[in-house]
């Protein structure tokens, strides 16, 4: 099926991510995006393209994407240790001295047989739709239905619409792959709102395959039901990543529509059914998207987590887009203030471990990285959405606003 790969054996050092640019992801997974397109992984810059056109769920199945020339070419490049342009996010992080996402691909135990003969994926990442109950500042209509009206009115994005990606064909194909799966990833939209995802979990349990499948779920932590917990307990492992970027009113500003007290209650409930260690069947972790909005407040953030959930791992996801909200957008003197706060005020009692979080040095390395977007773009972006939402960044983030307000040339 994939003849271009047959007979090619990577050199030994291609199994060491520090020595080459090899990545396993294209050899064992395929991703169905929230806006109905296909990608090799969530860090990839491009959607899959065939004959100059993007592959979409309207015209292509997930199996066609898995077997596409785009995927074959990407696999072939990795086998030859050639960098593909679509992987630029990893190359940028690598250039900053960080361990990029491709390092994670080495943790799935992928065999040489799977590399040489990737006939069926071992992992699928499903964004069943863009249906969501939140309107997060870092998001957009591609991944949240709550964003559609705002995107149309502020940016004239008339193409913004609801996307339902688990077509009957895709559901049938994914079910046929279930016996091969080691892991299923559910993303969104809000994945725990998607009945298609719940049905797939029920199918895995009913057919007896749940016991060899792990689930990776990125959820906004607004949904908790007893049925979900019952389903989770049937799987080999469940890695439950809760998107919590801040605390209190700052959290509610960044994750509009969420209620801090409700999210805190759900976090408590989920942790009661599992834990924070690799030996726990249900492992809870926080995924914090790091932006210009919350990086200043990390000392307070970690102080809260240490006090209420000691040992709970918090993984920092560095936000590139929208660039207007990247923490790299700050001028050098503001970055210096933030760096000093991170070095002196983030509690030393928090346990920093690989894949559980990044270190303060990792954060600072990214913070000080270059960006082509001017700082005024941050203010323009914030003011534009504050007006639409009738919110106030200055009132919600008074300490940070006091530090940066003199740079704002908009007069808002």
């Amino acid at each position: 099926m994939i003849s271009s790969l047959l007979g090619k054996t990577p050199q030994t050092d291609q199994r060491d991510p520090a020595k080459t640019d090899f990545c396993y992801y294209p050899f064992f997974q395929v991703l169905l995006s929230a806006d109905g397109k296909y990608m090799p992984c969530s860090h990839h810059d491009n959607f899959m393209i065939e004959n100059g056109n993007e592959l979409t769920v309207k015209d292509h199945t997930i199996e066609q994407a898995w077997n596409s020339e785009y995927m074959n070419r990407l696999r072939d490049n990795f086998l030859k240790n050639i960098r593909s342009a679509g992987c630029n996010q990893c190359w940028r992080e690598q250039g900053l001295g960080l361990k990029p996402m491709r390092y994670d691909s080495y943790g799935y135990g992928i065999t040489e047989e799977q590399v040489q003969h990737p006939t069926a994926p071992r992992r699928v990442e499903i964004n069943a739709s863009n249906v969501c109950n939140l309107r997060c500042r870092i998001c957009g209509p591609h991944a949240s239905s709550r964003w559609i009206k705002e995107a149309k009115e502020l940016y004239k994005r008339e193409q913004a619409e609801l996307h339902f990606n688990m077509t009957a064909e895709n559901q049938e194909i994914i079910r046929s792959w279930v016996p091969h799966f080691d892991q299923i990833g559910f993303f969104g939209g809000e994945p725990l709102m998607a009945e298609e995802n719940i049905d797939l979990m029920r199918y895995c349990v009913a057919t007896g395959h749940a016991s060899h499948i792990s689930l990776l779920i990125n959820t906004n932590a607004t949904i908790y039901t007893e049925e979900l917990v019952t389903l989770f307990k049937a799987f080999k492992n469940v890695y439950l990543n809760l998107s919590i970027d801040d605390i209190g009113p700052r959290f509610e500003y960044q994750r509009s529509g969420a209620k801090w007290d409700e999210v805190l209650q759900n976090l408590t409930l989920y942790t009661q059914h599992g834990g924070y260690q690799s030996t726990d069947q249900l492992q809870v972790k926080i995924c914090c998207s790091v932006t210009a909005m919350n990086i200043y407040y990390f000392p307070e953030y970690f102080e809260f987590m240490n006090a209420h959930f000691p040992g709970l791992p918090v993984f920092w996801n560095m936000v590139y887009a929208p660039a207007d909200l990247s923490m790299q957008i700050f001028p050098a003197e503001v970055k210096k203030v933030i760096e000093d706060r991170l070095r002196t005020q983030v509690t030393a009692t928090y346990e920093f471990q690989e894949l559980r979080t990044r270190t303060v040095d990792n954060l600072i390395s990214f913070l000080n990285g270059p960006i082509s977007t001017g700082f005024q773009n941050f203010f323009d972006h914030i003011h534009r959405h504050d007006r639409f939402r009738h919110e106030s960044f200055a009132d919600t983030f008074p300490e940070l606003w006091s530090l940066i307000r003199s740079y704002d040339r908009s007069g808002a």
Side-chain angles (χ1 to χ4, degrees), residues 194-215:
E195 193 62 27
E196 302 95 326
N197 293 340
I198 312 303
D199 282 344
L200 181 56
M201 283 190 262
R202 291 173 182 142
Y203 176 82
C204 292
V205 173
T207 57
H209 289 293
S211 61
H212 65 78
I213 297 174
S214 296
L215 301 180

Side-chain angles (χ1 to χ4, degrees), residues 21 25 36 43 65 99 114 122 124 131 150-151 153 171 203 244 253 267 285 312 329 388 391 393 408:
D21 295 325
Y25 277 124
H43 255 42
K99 290 186 176 179
Q114 180 69 23
R122 304 287 296 275
V124 65
V131 174
E150 192 164 353
E153 293 195 20
Q171 291 184 60
Y203 176 82
I244 303 176
Y253 178 97
L267 172 57
K285 180 172 73 174
L312 174 65
I329 204 169
F388 186 89
E391 297 176 345
F393 181 87
D408 185 7

Side-chain angles (χ1 to χ4, degrees), residues 74-121:
L74 187 62
R75 294 169 184 140
D76 203 35
N77 283 347
F78 276 123
L79 287 168
K80 294 175 180 177
N81 205 37
I82 297 172
R83 289 188 173 189
S84 297
C87 303
N88 282 335
Q89 285 198 46
C90 277
W91 311 142
R92 285 195 295 269
E93 289 190 6
Q94 199 163 294
L96 291 170
L98 305 176
K99 290 186 176 179
M101 184 173 153
R102 72 178 185 86
Y103 273 64
D104 298 350
S105 73
Y106 285 70
Y108 287 90
I110 300 306
T111 65
E112 184 64 18
E113 174 67 18
Q114 180 69 23
V115 170
Q116 295 298 321
H117 305 281
T119 53

Side-chain angles (χ1 to χ4, degrees), residues 116-232:
Q116 295 298 321
H117 305 281
T119 53
R122 304 287 296 275
R123 181 180 189 274
V124 65
E125 193 163 307
I126 299 171
N127 293 262
S129 71
N130 63 342
V131 174
C132 189
N133 56 346
L134 301 188
R135 195 166 34 133
C136 302
R137 286 275 178 154
I138 58 173
C139 197
H142 66 288
S144 172
S145 53
R146 290 288 306 280
W147 255 91
I148 292 175
K149 183 175 185 293
E150 192 164 353
K152 287 184 175 181
E153 293 195 20
L154 292 184
Y155 300 102
K156 309 304 179 186
R157 292 176 62 176
E158 296 304 323
Q159 75 279 14
E161 60 183 4
L162 281 170
H163 294 279
F164 295 95
N165 309 319
M166 289 287 277
T167 62
E169 283 183 298
N170 276 344
Q171 291 184 60
E172 182 179 351
I173 290 165
I174 290 171
R175 288 189 177 198
S176 75
W177 284 341
V178 161
H180 304 282
F181 283 155
D182 297 319
Q183 187 176 94
I184 300 173
F186 290 120
F187 297 79
E190 169 46 48
L192 299 184
M193 290 181 67
E195 193 62 27
E196 302 95 326
N197 293 340
I198 312 303
D199 282 344
L200 181 56
M201 283 190 262
R202 291 173 182 142
Y203 176 82
C204 292
V205 173
T207 57
H209 289 293
S211 61
H212 65 78
I213 297 174
S214 296
L215 301 180
L216 175 63
I217 303 173
N218 273 24
T219 172
N220 61 31
T222 63
I223 296 172
Y224 174 93
T225 69
E226 292 299 327
E227 185 196 9
L228 282 172
V229 172
T230 300
L231 287 171
F232 290 166

Side-chain angles (χ1 to χ4, degrees), residues 319-380:
V319 170
Y320 292 94
D324 297 347
L325 298 180
S326 169
M327 60 175 166
Q328 294 178 332
I329 204 169
F330 288 123
E333 52 270 31
V334 175
K335 289 183 179 182
K336 181 64 168 62
V337 173
I338 294 172
E339 178 177 343
D340 289 345
R341 279 176 57 82
L342 292 174
R343 290 200 185 280
T344 62
Q345 297 184 38
V346 171
T347 175
T349 62
Y350 194 84
E351 182 181 18
F352 295 106
Q353 290 184 356
E354 196 74 32
L355 297 183
R356 291 168 65 85
T357 187
R358 299 179 191 263
T359 66
V360 169
D361 284 340
N362 290 156
L363 266 182
I364 292 170
S365 293
F366 188 87
L367 170 70
N368 290 322
I371 193 171
S372 59
T373 302
F375 193 26
Q376 187 57 46
N377 286 25
F378 168 81
F379 294 106
D380 294 343

